[in-house]
Amino acid sequence: MISNESIPTMNTMFRFQWEQAQNSYVLLYPEGMIQLNGPAGEILALVDGEKPVAGIVADLKGKFGDVDSLESDVLEFLVEAQKQRWIEV
């Protein structure tokens, strides 16, 4: 279960990077590539293995403003990213 105190880290099977040709963030893995939408890329860009979920949410609020559902949206995405094995907690 992911909470505000959880510290997510990228799974070493994936490489997160900006892909100019796709004009988006992507996750690269040995068999291919996953193109991320804007919000997913913004969230994963803050996953550094040191910052807790609450810190990621705070950084996003600083960048995009205090959006009502931001915290729940970030938590929901991170749960899905963990299911997909993109991140570990």
Side-chain angles (χ1 to χ4, degrees):
M1 181 170 171
I2 297 178
S3 70
N4 283 329
E5 295 78 32
S6 299
I7 299 175
T9 185
M10 292 299 300
N11 181 332
T12 57
M13 293 285 296
F14 295 92
R15 188 172 77 206
F16 175 78
Q17 70 181 40
W18 176 259
E19 184 65 43
Q20 188 64 36
Q22 303 295 326
N23 195 34
S24 67
Y25 285 108
V26 298
L27 287 172
L28 300 175
Y29 60 104
E31 296 83 27
M33 176 182 75
I34 300 164
Q35 184 175 356
L36 301 167
N37 66 22
E42 294 290 339
I43 295 167
L44 288 182
L46 297 171
V47 171
D48 61 8
E50 296 179 14
K51 188 179 302 180
V53 172
I56 292 171
V57 170
D59 286 355
L60 290 169
K61 283 182 178 181
K63 187 171 184 178
F64 299 107
D66 192 8
V67 180
D68 287 338
S69 64
L70 185 63
E71 184 175 339
S72 62
D73 290 347
V74 169
L75 284 168
E76 183 179 329
F77 171 76
L78 291 174
V79 166
E80 184 60 30
Q82 184 180 31
K83 286 180 187 175
Q84 296 295 326
R85 297 189 175 146
W86 300 342
I87 64 166
E88 299 170 348
V89 178

